[in-house]
Amino acid sequence: TREVKRLIPHQEVPTSTASPSSRGVVGGVHHPPVRGHFYAMSLFFFSLDCLRELSSHEPLNRSWPTPSIADLTDALHGLCSRSWKGDLEDIVHDSHEFTRAEVLPDRCFESVYMVTLLRDGFGFNLESRDITFTFLVDGDEVEWSLGMAISHFAEEQLPAVTLLGDDGVDADVGASVNGVLRMYDEKYLNVYE
């Protein structure tokens, strides 16, 4: 617990009213204020979708896949207060589509950690709906490693590319990503053949 508090300082006041200097600190590193819309994938999706399914928290179910941090926080008790004996042990093998039996006992901890990280570490506003939790984008599975590869490739190959169009309006990010993926596939396709 002490290590978690050191790495992610817990706010005694709600994040929405905390001073800007006390938000966005993870492991002693200050992060800029969050702006825009984000996609949470991989373990963020798997754990928090399990929270949604097993907490029986109706507001989280209604707002999924773009719940507020407050929705996630309020649902934590519903999952973490469940009993293992006579409850979770009975559903362990078919509890959640993305949760293997040996992982189910960790879902409470993972969910609490992730909600705390989003709220206290990165400083997401409690009521905003700036995060979409997803497993698929346009029918394809997404993972952080693919995003990292695209990001590095884009920096290497397209240093002048921006997400703003000439008129200062957000460009079609999907078209930009698809263009980068096509260029990546053309350049590295022979690596996979």
Side-chain angles (χ1 to χ4, degrees):
T1 306
R2 189 177 330 153
E3 185 68 5
V4 171
K5 286 183 179 182
R6 183 184 71 76
L7 292 173
I8 306 172
H10 179 70
Q11 306 299 326
E12 296 303 323
V13 295
T15 303
S16 58
T17 59
S19 72
S21 64
S22 67
R23 285 189 271 163
V25 179
V26 178
V29 176
H30 291 269
H31 297 274
V34 291
R35 291 187 339 213
H37 192 85
F38 297 85
Y39 286 93
M41 56 198 75
S42 198
L43 191 58
F44 275 93
F45 171 77
F46 300 136
S47 293
L48 297 178
D49 187 60
C50 185
L51 170 68
R52 177 190 64 81
E53 260 189 47
L54 298 182
S55 69
S56 302
H57 190 260
E58 193 51 39
L60 179 55
N61 277 311
R62 280 195 311 269
S63 63
W64 193 261
T66 55
S68 68
I69 300 300
D71 290 338
L72 293 168
T73 301
D74 292 345
L76 289 171
H77 180 74
L79 172 62
C80 296
S81 66
R82 290 186 72 164
S83 173
W84 183 258
K85 287 227 175 273
D87 181 6
L88 293 177
E89 72 178 348
D90 296 339
I91 64 167
V92 71
H93 294 288
D94 62 351
S95 61
H96 179 248
E97 178 181 2
F98 302 108
T99 301
R100 295 182 325 274
E102 62 271 13
V103 175
L104 181 59
D106 300 324
R107 287 302 196 218
C108 169
F109 175 81
E110 292 168 352
S111 297
V112 169
Y113 177 79
M114 289 178 191
V115 171
T116 303
L117 182 64
L118 293 170
R119 183 189 62 220
D120 299 335
F122 293 114
F124 279 91
N125 183 290
L126 291 175
E127 298 304 325
S128 72
R129 299 187 183 279
D130 295 333
I131 306 171
T132 298
F133 295 89
T134 187
F135 178 64
L136 302 173
V137 172
D138 292 333
D140 294 317
E141 182 179 343
V142 292
E143 293 184 5
W144 71 266
S145 53
L146 175 60
M148 183 68 117
I150 292 170
S151 175
H152 281 294
F153 180 78
E155 288 174 8
E156 199 176 278
Q157 300 297 319
L158 305 169
V161 170
T162 180
L163 293 181
L164 294 179
D166 295 334
D167 57 0
V169 178
D170 285 346
D172 181 0
V173 175
S176 301
V177 169
N178 286 334
V180 170
L181 284 173
R182 273 193 303 281
M183 289 175 56
Y184 182 85
D185 285 346
E186 290 168 8
K187 182 173 180 179
Y188 295 105
L189 190 58
N190 59 351
V191 172
Y192 300 109
E193 294 179 341

